[in-house]
Amino acid sequence: TQLLEQSPQFLSIQEGENLTVYCNSSSVFSSLQWYRQEPGEGPVLLVTVVTGGEVKKLKRLTFQFGDARKDSSLHITAAQPGDTGLYLCAGGRGGSQGNLIFGKGTKLSVKP
Amino acid sequence: EAGVAQSPRYKIIEKRQSVAFWCNPISGHATLYWYQQILGQGPKLLIQFQNNGVVDDSQLPKDRFSAERLKGVDSTLKIQPAKLEDSAVYLCASSHSDSYGYTFGSGTRLTVV
């Protein structure tokens, strides 16, 4: 069974701090996606990484896919209250026409 | 572009009753997914459709859950009879065959009492 372990489960920080969320597995994935989910809404795609070692930046967010395509990290610089939410990583099986396995998520709270 | 539409948003039923959820994906998205998200957990795949054919239903509890996607567009997920442990948010998502990313609907929050 393929599993994705996310850490930490909960994170509460002050505005302006930096943070890193980790997503680890013993399985190799064809892609790794990160989503953010707010209460009462569905997850919203932030980024997709498909190449081992790939790094993508989205404003203050930096995403990295491990060289072996088994793990990923999300780093947020100078967090803002608007970054508050549940961050989910998802491993892709079977390419763009496959499906995703999700981790349990990291619940981030950024206090002003 | 219109998003993925789901209805109803909320549903409360008693155990052993039946319930149905509806999803209309983004126009042109051939692939449709139903996920179950229990409180405090990540979404878990129930079923994947490619057009109107089932690609993966290995985690669908087929003794009580059923899903269909007639004409390869909108889809219905049914639970009959419901159990207390079915209380969750049911998320529908769609994707284009050439794209990795999913677009999710807002979900249906089901409470079984």
Side-chain angles (χ1 to χ4, degrees):
Chain A
T1 303
Q2 293 176 301
L3 288 173
L4 276 168
E5 302 285 344
Q6 281 191 244
S7 62
Q9 266 191 287
F10 302 95
L11 194 52
S12 181
I13 61 173
Q14 293 295 129
E15 182 176 1
E17 292 184 12
N18 301 332
L19 67 117
T20 302
V21 176
Y22 299 93
C23 177
N24 296 296
S25 176
S26 58
S27 303
V28 175
F29 292 101
S30 59
S31 70
L32 204 296
Q33 300 180 24
W34 285 91
Y35 291 78
R36 188 174 86 188
Q37 185 176 24
E38 299 191 27
E41 297 299 327
V44 175
L45 178 67
L46 296 174
V47 77
T48 300
V49 284
V50 297
T51 305
E54 184 175 1
V55 177
K56 279 192 176 178
K57 292 192 176 184
L58 186 67
K59 296 184 181 177
R60 295 176 293 99
L61 278 61
T62 302
F63 305 87
Q64 185 162 10
F65 201 11
D67 291 342
R69 290 188 289 131
K70 293 182 179 181
D71 54 82
S72 181
S73 63
L74 157 61
H75 182 79
I76 301 179
T77 303
Q80 299 177 0
D83 296 327
T84 294
L86 179 68
Y87 288 81
L88 294 159
C89 70
R93 306 183 295 181
S96 62
Q97 296 187 37
N99 53 58
L100 296 176
I101 295 174
F102 282 82
K104 290 187 176 182
T106 293
K107 195 167 185 180
L108 172 65
S109 174
V110 182
K111 295 178 172 38
Chain B
E1 165 177 87
V4 175
Q6 287 190 248
S7 66
R9 285 298 309 268
Y10 306 93
K11 190 75 178 178
I12 302 175
I13 62 171
E14 294 183 351
K15 59 184 179 184
R16 290 188 289 275
Q17 285 187 326
S18 62
V19 64
F21 313 125
W22 174 82
C23 171
N24 191 300
I26 290 177
S27 177
H29 280 194
T31 312
L32 184 148
Y33 312 82
W34 283 102
Y35 278 81
Q36 178 194 58
Q37 187 174 23
I38 293 173
L39 187 65
Q41 297 186 20
K44 175 187 134 185
L45 178 71
L46 292 175
I47 189 166
Q48 175 188 354
F49 291 96
Q50 182 78 17
N51 296 308
N52 60 348
V54 175
V55 174
D56 186 347
D57 64 356
S58 57
Q59 297 187 86
L60 186 73
K62 298 180 185 66
D63 57 335
R64 298 184 301 107
F65 286 64
S66 65
E68 60 182 10
R69 190 183 184 197
L70 300 176
K71 299 180 183 178
V73 182
D74 54 356
S75 175
T76 304
L77 176 69
K78 295 179 182 177
I79 307 175
Q80 182 179 14
K83 292 185 175 181
L84 295 176
E85 59 260 37
D86 297 332
S87 294
V89 175
Y90 290 85
L91 294 163
C92 178
S94 68
S95 67
H96 192 277
S97 55
D98 293 335
S99 169
Y100 283 96
Y102 291 9
T103 302
F104 281 88
S106 296
T108 296
R109 179 176 295 278
L110 173 68
T111 302
V112 183
V113 298

